[in-house]
Amino acid sequence: MLAKVRMVWKALIEEQLGIYARSVLGEEVALPPLSVQTPPKPELGDLAFPLFAYAKTLKIAPPKLAAELKSLLEKREDRPLGDLLVAGPYLNVRIDMSSLATDLCKEIAEKGTSYGENDSLSGKRVTVEFSCPNTNKPLHLGHMRNDSLGESLSAILKANGALVRKVNLINNRGVHICKSMLAYQKFGNGETPASTNMKGDHFVGKYYVRFANWAKEDPTAEEQAQMMLQKWEEGESEVIKLWEMMNKWTLDGLAESYQKMGISFDAYYYESQTYKFGKDEILKGLEDGVFYREEDGSVWVDLESIKLDKKVLLRKDGTSLYMTQDVGTAIMRHKDWPFDSLVYVVASEQQYHFKVLFYVLQQLGYDWAKDLHHLSYGMVNLPEGKMKSREGTVVDADELVSTLTELAAAEIHVKQREALVGDVEKTSASIALGALNYYLLQVTPTKDMIFNPAESISFNGNTGPYLQYMGARICSMLAKYEQEGGDSEGIGFDSSLLTLGDERSLIKQLALYPEVVAKAGEDFDPSELCTYLYELSRLFSKWYHDNPVLKAGNKQLVRSRIELSRMVLQVLKNAFALVGIPFLEAM
RNA sequence: GCGCUCGUAGCUCAGCUGGAUAGAGCGCCGGACUUCGAAUCCGUAGGUCGAAGGUUCGAAUCCUUCCGGGCGCACCA
């Protein structure tokens, strides 16, 4: 909506520039494109058109040109509503906020939860792979950033019109899995998650740690694990039975965590089922001459054309590797659900892997391989440095969620909001989730980030709960308004009454939302929505603090401010849904 | 060594395709609840945007070099 206003003014001024150039120079000249910006201060208007670039060709100082254009434009009948102002070398526009607000109010009311959506990816099928845990330990903070990003990105792509399929690849095979199995076999004494009253993933994780300790004393431990893997691959029934049992324990535990964290998938893939795939594809590529075979029998791809060295795709004994498997899995997924695009949400450590993977898939001639993406995100570190499992500094996901939930509940009790909130347990869980997702998504994905536990449990300032709080306050105000019969009085929304600077800023921010959704989708960057949300909430809370709504006096003004609040509420709700912040009517 | 990436206030982060006095939050100090929810709001202090060059009318933003972090560079996954 704001985009439209911008376009109209830009086109008009560009046209005027052309006319002016012709009159001054007496001939047609190619002028540099006009750029549109936002002035740094509200007093300077809403749109800014810097004129520096024209000084040379038109032989006029930018401030003079601004004044000239202003007076020429003001004579034009076809000029849209709004004011022109000269601000030094800039020609600025103060747009007609009243008509924008009227249109906006209508649009938000009509579209409701779909306000902000667009069809830039309309009909496009996108598979998003994320999470991809091991089945030998519970989720930790690193997984949480991955999960938040994957879930949020999926929602954002949907809001841009895409058909999204969320998939998870469970890493449930390999030596590391055998380690926890072996430790359990040796030291388990038949205990189970049920008998020890432990969550399955933590239970299995305990044995993974147990293995590490044992391996320190017994040098044969690693060897034994390797032997177990062989037995597993041969399908020895006892090993398979143990594997199935322990896998289920972990997966049940993970399912519980996912549920709590609001994570879900449309399909699961298991490495145990996919690890052999890809071999045939590589052999086909070898036949077609896109790969080559070394003397020892191993198969390689030459990466010189993408300025990398070379990479093995099949071992000399003909078995698959990580890369081989990923090639197979991608192709299989495309058969399952023919996508136009595939996004991998995986840590930045694997940038090289994905560069190679994408290249190999292209070499194999799949047309969909043109649109593969790696949403590469940085590490999550602690203030003291990296998380290290050996030093026990890994932040456990379940523990973190429950700590935050307890703190939120404590806050509700301190403020004596039990009655207002209703279900304290559910509400505090939602606050915890909002806090976590916002904390993790706030940072530009590609950057490493520092997770400060003390800061993450704070609910003040630039946090998820701050945003939720704004929503709750608006809800409570609207409830009061409706209770007092405000809506039934038949008074309409009069946008011309919203003349305060803060109101103008709010309206603009609301009108900007659809563009932010589109940009976040283009950039694969949920943090852009976080920044937007905080700015919207901040503007609202300042305005709401300084200006009465229900007690504004004039009924027409009350009504108009109520409508403005309703718009803010709607946009908050819509944006929350895209970044995993549960909306709360009371907290 | 090669490749990728990052370096903005004490700390954590924003800063749109280069543009008008570089912005928030936390923390510090100081204010605002008989008034729509104080999980709030307002104010003060705090920055030669890692360094040096270059391109440009104009650089935190683009280019080069250097310094300093991180991550890759397995017939592991």
Side-chain angles (χ1 to χ4, degrees):
Chain A
M1 180 144 285
L2 202 54
K4 215 170 73 192
V5 178
R6 247 195 320 254
M7 290 289 289
V8 169
W9 277 105
K10 186 186 168 200
L12 186 78
I13 295 173
E14 247 172 355
E15 190 192 320
Q16 193 64 53
L17 259 168
I19 296 170
Y20 176 81
R22 225 172 303 138
S23 75
V24 173
L25 304 171
E27 55 172 341
E28 204 71 38
V29 282
L31 293 170
L34 186 65
S35 89
V36 197
Q37 288 159 8
T38 307
K41 280 181 148 187
E43 305 90 87
L44 294 170
D46 306 302
L47 305 175
F49 298 91
L51 302 173
F52 304 97
Y54 307 96
K56 248 182 202 165
T57 27
L58 301 181
K59 297 189 178 90
I60 181 171
K64 275 187 128 174
L65 179 58
E68 194 69 31
L69 285 174
K70 177 178 188 269
S71 76
L72 287 169
L73 283 162
E74 278 171 347
K75 285 179 199 142
R76 289 180 64 153
E77 299 283 329
D78 59 345
R79 177 168 58 94
L81 286 173
D83 301 312
L84 289 156
L85 42 144
V86 173
Y90 294 84
L91 179 61
N92 288 4
V93 174
R94 179 169 289 125
I95 63 180
D96 182 57
M97 214 44 86
S98 178
S99 60
L100 177 66
T102 305
D103 294 351
L104 189 68
C105 188
K106 218 173 105 195
E107 190 180 336
I108 294 180
E110 268 169 20
K111 292 192 173 165
T113 51
S114 67
Y115 173 68
E117 292 176 8
N118 69 80
D119 53 7
S120 62
L121 298 176
S122 181
K124 207 168 167 192
R125 294 156 73 100
V126 185
T127 294
V128 179
E129 179 199 277
F130 65 103
S131 205
C132 306
N134 282 330
T135 52
N136 56 12
K137 50 186 163 188
L139 302 176
H140 60 72
L141 198 47
H143 296 112
M144 297 184 87
R145 188 175 193 191
N146 182 306
D147 291 334
S148 293
L149 279 169
E151 196 64 40
S152 174
L153 176 72
S154 301
I156 291 168
L157 294 177
K158 275 184 201 165
N160 282 289
L163 289 162
V164 175
R165 183 177 190 239
K166 297 184 284 180
V167 303
N168 194 353
L169 176 64
I170 308 283
N171 185 335
N172 63 345
R173 67 163 289 279
V175 207
H176 54 296
I177 303 295
C178 291
K179 289 178 180 175
S180 51
M181 287 162 62
L182 194 59
Y184 179 74
Q185 212 175 38
K186 273 187 90 71
F187 312 108
N189 294 322
E191 65 172 18
T192 66
S195 79
T196 53
N197 199 21
M198 271 179 93
K199 204 159 152 282
D201 48 343
H202 287 89
F203 181 86
V204 174
K206 188 175 85 174
Y207 284 98
Y208 188 61
V209 174
R210 187 74 179 81
F211 175 88
N213 292 332
W214 170 49
K216 269 183 232 160
E217 293 151 22
D218 189 341
T220 69
E222 294 283 346
E223 222 173 284
Q224 291 186 44
Q226 205 66 49
M227 273 166 58
M228 193 175 219
L229 178 63
Q230 254 177 42
K231 285 184 191 164
W232 182 89
E233 294 203 354
E234 284 158 11
E236 192 182 288
S237 72
E238 201 182 319
V239 176
I240 296 290
K241 252 170 83 184
L242 175 67
W243 173 76
E244 280 172 349
M245 179 171 75
M246 291 184 72
N247 253 258
K248 187 170 183 322
W249 287 341
T250 313
L251 291 175
D252 286 349
L254 294 180
E256 203 183 312
S257 301
Y258 282 144
Q259 210 257 332
K260 257 190 208 159
M261 288 160 45
I263 309 295
S264 66
F265 299 94
D266 300 308
Y268 283 86
Y269 287 83
Y270 298 88
E271 217 179 281
S272 55
Q273 296 163 350
T274 65
Y275 80 103
K276 285 177 179 158
F277 289 6
K279 188 174 166 177
D280 293 346
E281 295 291 334
I282 301 300
L283 290 174
K284 213 189 296 165
L286 183 65
E287 252 172 63
D288 297 344
V290 292
F291 307 133
Y292 67 93
R293 200 189 277 278
E294 281 286 346
E295 276 179 18
D296 65 2
S298 54
V299 178
W300 296 71
V301 58
D302 191 338
L303 303 168
E304 212 192 324
S305 65
I306 53 169
K307 287 178 184 163
L308 297 171
D309 45 359
K310 53 186 184 162
K311 183 84 187 167
V312 201
L313 298 176
L314 285 178
R315 290 194 186 93
K316 61 184 168 201
D317 63 6
T319 55
S320 300
L321 290 115
Y322 176 41
M323 185 63 69
T324 328
Q325 174 199 317
D326 255 7
V327 167
T329 311
I331 293 165
M332 185 167 75
R333 279 185 189 147
H334 191 267
K335 278 184 188 142
D336 291 351
W337 193 75
F339 52 77
D340 301 300
S341 177
L342 170 59
V343 185
Y344 291 89
V345 182
V346 181
S348 56
E349 306 163 332
Q350 301 204 31
Q351 275 184 31
Y352 173 79
H353 173 77
F354 285 104
K355 259 185 206 159
V356 178
L357 174 65
F358 296 170
Y359 180 75
V360 167
L361 285 166
Q362 273 171 29
Q363 289 303 101
L364 286 169
Y366 291 99
D367 55 340
W368 46 264
K370 290 187 296 286
D371 211 355
L372 303 173
H373 302 273
H374 174 203
L375 169 46
S376 154
Y377 62 91
M379 313 206 58
V380 184
N381 297 318
L382 299 174
E384 311 81 51
K386 285 187 70 166
M387 287 193 281
K388 285 177 187 148
S389 49
R390 249 176 288 158
E391 289 166 27
T393 53
V394 175
V395 177
D396 179 76
D398 292 323
E399 226 171 88
L400 184 60
V401 171
S402 67
T403 306
L404 284 170
T405 306
E406 279 163 30
L407 282 163
E411 196 72 12
I412 290 169
H413 292 307
V414 168
K415 294 180 171 19
Q416 300 181 304
R417 298 250 178 84
E418 294 90 339
L420 184 71
V421 157
D423 191 337
V424 174
E425 207 176 316
K426 202 176 152 207
T427 304
S428 22
S430 296
I431 293 170
L433 197 58
L436 256 169
N437 278 328
Y438 187 76
Y439 192 97
L440 293 169
L441 292 177
Q442 218 183 345
V443 181
T444 307
T446 50
K447 287 192 177 180
D448 285 357
M449 66 177 286
I450 292 185
F451 181 88
N452 186 329
E455 212 175 84
S456 76
I457 59 176
S458 155
F459 298 151
N460 304 324
N462 188 357
T463 64
Y466 170 86
L467 305 174
Q468 289 172 313
Y469 181 66
M470 287 310 136
R473 284 181 74 184
I474 297 175
C475 279
S476 113
M477 175 181 70
L478 291 176
K480 194 167 271 181
Y481 180 72
E482 281 153 24
Q483 202 179 5
E484 289 165 3
D487 278 323
S488 58
E489 290 179 28
I491 298 168
F493 171 61
D494 184 353
S495 63
S496 70
L497 299 177
L498 302 178
T499 53
L500 298 170
D502 287 344
E503 285 162 349
R504 291 178 66 90
S505 304
L506 268 172
I507 292 162
K508 267 196 288 179
Q509 185 74 359
L510 290 167
L512 191 67
Y513 179 62
E515 290 174 51
V516 177
V517 175
K519 185 90 182 357
E522 261 170 52
D523 297 346
F524 290 179
D525 187 355
S527 77
E528 293 173 14
L529 274 159
C530 293
T531 306
Y532 171 85
L533 263 172
Y534 181 67
E535 184 60 19
L536 177 64
S537 298
R538 214 166 56 92
L539 284 171
F540 177 81
S541 58
K542 177 169 164 43
W543 170 72
Y544 187 56
H545 182 269
D546 295 347
N547 303 285
V549 174
L550 296 177
K551 291 173 186 163
N554 177 346
K555 280 192 176 175
Q556 187 97 44
L557 182 60
V558 171
R559 173 69 196 200
S560 303
R561 288 185 173 169
I562 283 286
E563 284 311 316
L564 180 59
S565 307
R566 278 190 176 138
M567 289 191 258
V568 174
L569 184 66
Q570 186 66 60
V571 173
L572 284 179
K573 276 186 190 172
N574 296 1
F576 279 9
L578 302 185
V579 290
I581 300 176
F583 174 77
L584 294 168
E585 294 201 355
M587 62 186 280

